[in-house]
Amino acid sequence: MGSRWCAALLRVLVLQAAWALAGGQVRYSVAEEAKAGTVVGRLSQDLGLEAGEAEARRLRLVAQGRRASVELSGASGALLVSSRLDREELCGKSAPCALRLEVLLERPLRVFHVELEVTDINDNAPIFPAARKNLSLSENSPPGFRFPLEGASDGDIGANAQLSYTLSPSEHFSLDLQKSNERNLVPELVLTKSLDRETIPVHRLVLTASDGGRPSLTGTMELVISVLDANDNPPQCNQSVYKVQLPENATEGTLIMRVNATDPDEGSNSEVKFTATSFIPPSGREVISVNPKTGEIHLTGALDFEEVSVFDFRIEARDHGTPPLSGHCSVELEVLDVNDNAPEVRVTSLSVPVAEDAAVGTVVAVLSVSDRDSGANGRVRCWVWPASPFGVEATFSGSYSLVLREALDRERVSEYEVEVRAEDGGAPALRASRGLRVPVSDVNDNAPAFAQAVYTVLARENNAAGAELARLWARDPDEAGNGRVSYSLWEGGAGALSPSSWSGAAGGGWRPASSYVSVDAESGRVWALQPLDYEELQVLQFEVRAVDAGEPPLSGNATVQLFVLDENDNAPALLPPPAGSAAEAGGAAAEAAAAGWGSGTLWAWAAWGAPAGQVVAKIRAVDADSGYNAWLRYELREARPKGPFRVGLYSGEVSTARPLDEADGARHTLLIVVRDHGEPARSATATLSVSLLEAAEAALAAAAGSSSSSSSSWRAAPGAETGPSGASAATNVWLVVAICAVSSLFLLAVVLYAAARWAPRAAVLSAPGPTTLVCASEVGSWSYSQRHSRSLCVADGAAKSDLMVFSPNFPPPPPGAAPKDPQPEPSALLHTVSADPLLAFSLSLPPLPSLPRPLCSSLFSLYGGSAPAACGQRNFG
């Protein structure tokens, strides 16, 4: 305080000196806020007045506006502070603040100007525009975001008005001062850490402004920073799982429960809408509804405990933010069985489905049985119906286990409806029941099984590639993957024997069935990969494997026997005459063919006067087809009726129809048509030229043909002449030998026939090649294929006289040729055999390579048969 007065005094002195220098103007200085009565200056002395002179001459101030805050003492002539001086009120922010006073002195009248400077003291604290500043920042504002603040003001001047700012401690905000000019600082609020409205919705900070006075004065402003919400929080249910029970007799409209969900966001971001989804079972949508605004769950349909005991569904709580967020919770609605004072049966735990290989004693469900009654009415006994394959075992009071008592078989029963019954001890007793559905899960315990172990499939040859031959189906009573069957051709049990292997041709042998057929993996259809040719393949046997998709997979096999049915796709083909054919006719006829005989003429000789029935020639033909399609018949097309020759319908032997005489001419040309029995029939034509010779010439021609058989098969020049004595001698010799041989062989044939007649009927005579059984309906007989068959089965029982065996017209196989892998003959192709003694004789004969061909021909002519194509071999033509 003393120092202040010293400073004031010093200023007065300075003003006085200045007044003296200025020519009478007095200057004073007084600090603002000086107390009333404070002497500003001795004005009378400073004006040079003597003591008492100021009062005598009436020294006074002229009152002007704000000058009322000072007064002049009339007795002492001192200038005093009369009221509070406020520099800020008098001068505001102007500096310096000077008050101009007028002093009057009478007798004589003089006017003095007094300048009073009001000096500033730090009496004003910084003042903010408002005591509270409300700010709003989004919670997703990034760190570093700046928010300019309005600074404080100070009524003082100079150092007393120089302000500095500080901010209350905060981990989210800091203060940065920016200079707007040389005198003022502008504070800026800086975000240093991300905001979270849900954690701190409002931040309250204090901004303090301090001036430069001594002591310093401060002013504060409260910063209320409201964090604006962003939709960064999904609604949250107050429970993750709601479990509620509802009696089955609850009426429609019953409030089941209310789901509560909160969203820490605000505004539309916190407005929640409820929806129900994922109903198990789906029928829950018909009996349960949810209020989208309140979350109240109401019953909208009737409940049935026996039908559905538990409804599971989810509640989705979605806000209205952008983008909307959602939360979920689960609701388990358990339907309680209602039966007044009756036992209650509840399923505590249910372990289904039950595997069909589950062990006996497996616990399927844990049951809780209770009764609201007490005493005898509350004593409950429990059992299961039907009694098998499940049973009830008591574990402890009120708890039972549903256990497996018998082995299960899903293929027999795939699901069980079990009813647990409870009966109390009341009178009359009341009962309650609880139905359980126990499905049986499948295990792969059944292999795929075909309806037949062997499938017989008939397919006509020349079928189109890709044609469906058959469809196989295997049943697997398992389900899903265990019962899903795929089919494949099993090469281990499949194959076909190529006919080239029978003839010893190169490249013959077994061929895989996969080269002929394929099996569709899904449908089991058997497709042909190529057109089938009966002449190449008659029987194809293979196995189809059916495999399920179980783990481990099981499989089953079926054998497919594919029989190719012959089509009449081959016309008869004429065969060249064999070597030495002149001897086969017993000297009665000779056969010849010129070069290129297939398109030329066959030649034969006959003697004049030959009797009726004399064999002149034999037409040999073969049909590549089989059975009925290969059964050939021979027809003679005569230019004139009742010609001298005829042809055997099935033997092809050309013989005289009547005795020949000179009127018939020296040469005859015969047109012979060979026709099969197919539909439509196919045919071939042969031209035979028969020359009539004298008996001696015919014999010589026959002898010449026999002697040249080793080097030439036929003679192309008819009418060749030989000596008559040589021909007669040769004929006599052969006749004697033939008579002896025929007599001996006849006796041998009778013995062998008797032995074959009474021998066991299961013997099989076979030669290379598979056998095909064909019924020749036109002639009412059975025949074997003329192409490959050499097998005849003799079975017990009487022989049938209508059985015919047609030997093939193929030439004999080359020497040394043997089948590589002959097929086993079918077990029962023929069960009867012809009683023809010639047939039995021919089958029982051993090979006769040493017999001369004329003798062989004469021997067969004796029995009314035709000469074989190659005497000395088992396979007669």
Side-chain angles (χ1 to χ4, degrees):
M1 189 69 181
S3 61
R4 228 164 50 170
W5 281 108
C6 290
L9 179 61
L10 181 60
R11 284 195 292 271
V12 170
L13 294 176
V14 171
L15 288 174
Q16 287 178 350
W19 175 71
L21 292 175
Q25 186 175 12
V26 180
R27 293 176 180 269
Y28 294 107
S29 176
V30 63
E32 65 174 330
E33 303 295 340
K35 295 182 180 180
T38 299
V39 177
V40 177
R42 302 292 180 177
L43 181 58
S44 60
Q45 294 180 4
D46 294 335
L47 292 178
L49 298 178
E50 297 294 333
E53 185 178 5
E55 184 178 5
R57 295 183 64 179
R58 298 185 61 187
L59 183 65
R60 66 180 187 277
L61 287 174
V62 178
Q64 293 183 0
R66 294 176 297 178
R67 298 171 186 170
S69 54
V70 295
E71 63 181 2
L72 187 62
S73 174
S76 61
L79 190 60
L80 305 175
V81 176
S82 61
S83 62
R84 175 179 175 270
L85 283 174
D86 187 356
R87 192 201 68 79
E88 288 75 27
E89 182 180 350
L90 295 175
C91 300
K93 298 292 288 185
S94 299
C97 181
L99 300 179
R100 296 185 181 276
L101 304 176
E102 290 183 356
V103 180
L104 295 180
L105 183 63
E106 296 180 355
R107 294 190 297 270
L109 179 64
R110 292 187 63 185
V111 178
F112 296 94
H113 295 279
V114 177
E115 186 173 303
L116 178 61
E117 180 182 2
V118 182
T119 61
D120 183 52
I121 64 173
N122 194 22
D123 60 343
N124 289 283
I127 299 175
F128 286 94
R132 175 182 294 178
K133 177 70 173 179
N134 294 319
L135 303 176
S136 297
L137 290 179
S138 175
E139 65 176 321
N140 56 5
S141 298
F145 180 81
R146 292 174 174 268
F147 197 92
L149 301 175
E150 188 175 357
S153 62
D154 196 317
D156 298 325
I157 59 174
N160 294 331
Q162 292 181 356
L163 302 180
S164 61
Y165 297 92
T166 57
L167 186 67
S168 59
S170 172
E171 63 175 340
H172 294 278
F173 298 95
S174 64
L175 190 66
D176 187 26
L177 300 179
Q178 300 288 334
K179 285 188 176 181
S180 63
N181 50 49
E182 295 181 356
R183 295 172 297 175
N184 297 329
L185 295 176
V186 177
E188 289 186 351
L189 192 63
V190 181
L191 180 64
T192 59
K193 184 180 179 181
S194 298
L195 301 175
D196 185 2
R197 190 200 67 81
E198 290 72 34
T199 304
I200 305 177
V202 177
H203 294 264
R204 297 181 181 274
L205 305 177
V206 176
L207 180 63
T208 302
S210 301
D211 59 22
R214 293 183 180 275
S216 176
L217 298 180
T218 60
T220 60
M221 179 174 65
E222 182 182 16
L223 299 178
V224 180
I225 304 172
S226 299
V227 181
L228 299 180
D229 183 52
N231 192 28
D232 57 348
N233 292 280
Q236 296 289 334
C237 298
N238 55 359
Q239 291 180 232
S240 60
V241 179
Y242 291 88
K243 295 185 178 181
V244 61
Q245 296 179 339
L246 194 66
E248 63 174 331
N249 62 349
T251 59
E252 295 185 13
T254 300
L255 175 64
I256 300 175
M257 60 170 296
R258 180 174 181 174
V259 177
N260 294 319
T262 58
D263 193 324
D265 296 326
E266 64 179 1
S268 61
N269 295 334
S270 64
E271 296 178 3
V272 179
K273 177 182 178 181
F274 299 92
T275 55
T277 61
S278 304
F279 281 92
I280 301 176
S283 59
R285 298 180 182 275
E286 302 174 1
V287 297
I288 296 171
S289 66
V290 179
N291 189 308
K293 294 183 178 180
T294 63
E296 294 179 347
I297 302 176
H298 291 270
L299 186 65
T300 58
L303 299 176
D304 188 352
F305 173 80
E306 288 71 29
E307 190 174 303
V308 180
S309 60
V310 176
F311 289 97
D312 291 332
F313 56 95
R314 295 179 66 83
I315 298 296
E316 180 187 47
R318 183 186 295 268
D319 59 26
H320 290 77
T322 304
L325 301 178
S326 61
H328 299 83
C329 60
S330 299
V331 179
E332 295 180 5
L333 174 59
E334 182 181 359
V335 182
L336 302 178
D337 187 32
V338 174
N339 190 6
D340 292 340
N341 299 322
E344 294 181 358
V345 180
R346 291 186 297 273
V347 179
T348 305
S349 176
L350 182 61
S351 179
V352 292
V354 181
E356 64 176 322
D357 60 347
V360 174
T362 300
V363 177
V364 178
V366 178
L367 308 172
S368 177
V369 182
S370 61
D371 196 308
R372 294 193 298 268
D373 298 328
S374 60
N377 293 333
R379 288 194 298 269
V380 179
R381 69 182 186 91
C382 184
W383 71 96
V384 64
W385 186 90
S388 61
F390 300 98
V392 172
E393 294 180 358
T395 54
F396 51 88
S397 179
S399 180
Y400 297 85
S401 295
L402 183 66
V403 297
L404 185 64
R405 288 184 174 175
E406 297 178 6
L408 300 176
D409 185 1
R410 191 204 65 82
E411 288 70 40
R412 184 172 59 88
V413 180
S414 61
E415 186 177 75
Y416 291 90
E417 291 288 343
V418 179
E419 187 178 72
V420 178
R421 296 180 176 180
E423 183 181 63
D424 60 23
L430 297 179
R431 293 182 178 181
S433 63
R434 175 71 165 89
L436 298 177
R437 180 173 296 172
V438 183
V440 181
S441 63
D442 184 54
V443 296
N444 193 24
D445 57 346
N446 291 277
F450 289 92
Q452 301 173 219
V454 178
Y455 288 85
T456 300
V457 179
L458 303 179
R460 292 191 175 276
E461 67 172 330
N462 302 320
N463 60 297
E468 180 178 342
L469 302 178
R471 182 179 299 184
L472 277 64
W473 179 75
R475 178 180 179 273
D476 193 325
D478 296 325
E479 65 178 357
N482 295 332
R484 188 168 60 253
V485 178
S486 61
Y487 303 88
S488 63
L489 185 68
W490 186 38
E491 289 293 351
L497 188 60
S498 173
S500 58
S501 65
W502 303 328
S503 61
W510 284 98
R511 294 181 60 185
S514 58
S515 62
Y516 293 101
V517 296
S518 68
V519 179
D520 186 79
E522 294 184 0
S523 64
R525 291 186 175 97
V526 180
W527 308 96
L529 295 178
Q530 62 182 2
L532 299 176
D533 186 359
Y534 177 84
E535 287 70 40
E536 177 187 347
L537 175 71
Q538 288 81 46
V539 180
L540 176 64
Q541 179 170 310
F542 56 91
E543 288 196 12
V544 175
R545 172 169 289 181
V547 182
D548 61 26
E551 188 63 36
L554 301 179
S555 62
N557 295 339
T559 301
V560 179
Q561 292 180 343
L562 176 62
F563 291 91
V564 182
L565 302 182
D566 184 48
E567 293 282 345
N568 191 27
D569 56 348
N570 291 282
L574 298 174
L575 293 178
S581 58
E584 294 182 5
E591 300 174 3
W597 75 274
S599 58
T601 304
L602 300 177
W603 296 89
W605 292 265
W608 294 105
Q614 176 67 52
V615 176
V616 176
K618 180 176 180 179
I619 304 301
R620 293 161 46 85
V622 67
D623 195 315
D625 294 323
S626 178
Y628 201 60
N629 295 327
W631 187 18
L632 304 180
R633 57 186 176 186
Y634 302 84
E635 300 174 0
L636 180 62
R637 291 186 180 177
E638 295 185 278
R640 57 178 180 168
K642 296 182 180 181
F645 298 99
R646 64 185 176 186
V647 64
L649 181 61
Y650 296 110
S651 65
E653 293 178 344
V654 180
S655 60
T656 57
R658 54 182 172 78
L660 300 176
D661 52 26
E662 294 182 0
D664 292 323
R667 178 173 296 179
H668 296 267
T669 300
L670 306 180
L671 183 64
I672 301 172
V673 178
V674 185
R675 192 187 311 274
D676 61 25
H677 286 72
E679 287 292 339
R682 295 176 179 267
S683 62
T685 303
T687 302
L688 177 65
S689 180
V690 182
S691 299
L692 300 182
L693 305 176
E694 295 295 335
E697 293 177 351
L700 290 176
S706 174
S707 62
S708 61
S709 61
S710 59
S711 59
S712 175
S713 299
W714 286 58
R715 289 293 184 184
E721 297 182 358
T722 59
S725 60
S728 299
T731 304
N732 293 333
V733 171
W734 283 117
L735 286 176
V736 172
V737 173
I739 292 171
C740 295
V742 166
S743 301
S744 302
L745 293 176
F746 175 74
L747 295 177
L748 179 62
V750 171
V751 174
L752 292 178
Y753 174 74
R757 180 69 175 176
W758 286 280
R761 299 297 182 98
V764 176
L765 300 177
S766 63
T771 303
T772 304
L773 185 62
V774 180
C775 177
S777 59
E778 275 191 25
V779 297
S781 62
W782 293 86
S783 68
Y784 276 104
S785 165
Q786 295 191 20
R787 183 181 180 192
H788 302 300
S789 176
R790 306 293 186 277
S791 178
L792 179 62
C793 294
V794 181
D796 293 337
K800 293 179 64 176
S801 59
D802 62 348
L803 180 68
M804 294 193 304
V805 176
F806 292 93
S807 298
N809 290 330
F810 278 121
K820 295 183 179 179
D821 189 11
Q823 278 273 49
E825 296 294 335
S827 60
L829 294 177
L830 289 179
H831 301 288
T832 58
V833 66
S834 173
D836 185 0
L838 177 59
L839 173 63
F841 168 71
S842 65
L843 291 175
S844 61
L845 276 177
L848 303 174
S850 60
L851 282 180
R853 294 180 59 86
L855 178 59
C856 184
S857 302
S858 301
L859 178 62
F860 278 83
S861 299
L862 242 136
Y863 290 91
S866 61
C871 269
Q873 298 189 21
R874 174 70 54 85
N875 300 328
F876 298 110

